[in-house]
Amino acid sequence: MRRPCSDVVVVAIEGEVDLANCPELDRVVMRVTAEPGIERVIIDLTGVGFLAACGVRCLARLQMRLAARRHRMQLVVSPDSGTVRRVLVLVNGFEIVDSLAETGATC
């Protein structure tokens, strides 16, 4: 996790997003967004090779919870990430960008 700007937090994930680590992802994101001044959460999935159905569900639930707190969530998923990107695009409703630079969070 890092904070490139005062109102943005970036959570980078590597490996797999599945039943084993979804609860931790949820805890980390909700903890860091509880800090004052956070308006946007960027979840960097460029290092993710496998996204289980429960991982998609976890991201959708996080998006709803963050929206209720008036936080914006962006997912960074490279265009060549294969099924990870295809699944997230099919779900619809996620704000997906190709790179961290595209988020503008490089303060």
Side-chain angles (χ1 to χ4, degrees), residues 30-48:
M30 296 314 291
R31 182 183 43 130
V32 298
T33 58
E35 295 180 25
I38 298 296
E39 295 178 10
R40 185 166 45 132
V41 178
I42 299 167
I43 301 180
D44 185 351
L45 299 171
T46 55
V48 172

Side-chain angles (χ1 to χ4, degrees), residues 2-3 10 33 48 54 82 85 87 90 95 98 102 104:
R2 68 179 193 271
R3 290 183 71 174
V10 177
T33 58
V48 172
C54 64
R85 186 177 182 102
V87 166
L90 285 172
E95 183 179 348
D98 297 341
E102 193 177 318

Side-chain angles (χ1 to χ4, degrees), residues 3-98:
R3 290 183 71 174
C5 306
S6 61
D7 63 341
V8 177
V9 66
V10 177
V11 178
I13 304 169
E14 294 184 0
E16 300 179 351
V17 180
D18 56 21
L19 191 58
N21 58 17
C22 282
E24 179 66 16
L25 172 60
D26 189 74
R27 278 192 298 274
V28 167
V29 171
M30 296 314 291
R31 182 183 43 130
V32 298
T33 58
E35 295 180 25
I38 298 296
E39 295 178 10
R40 185 166 45 132
V41 178
I42 299 167
I43 301 180
D44 185 351
L45 299 171
T46 55
V48 172
F50 175 74
L51 180 64
C54 64
V56 176
R57 201 169 40 250
C58 177
L59 291 170
R61 187 173 47 247
L62 275 171
Q63 181 163 306
M64 287 188 301
R65 292 172 68 194
L66 291 170
R69 294 168 125 182
R70 301 195 191 284
H71 296 313
R72 177 178 169 200
M73 184 176 93
Q74 291 178 294
L75 302 178
V76 179
V77 186
S78 67
D80 61 348
S81 65
T83 58
V84 172
R85 186 177 182 102
R86 282 194 304 268
V87 166
L88 291 170
V89 168
L90 285 172
V91 170
N92 202 3
F94 289 118
E95 183 179 348
I96 300 171
V97 295
D98 297 341

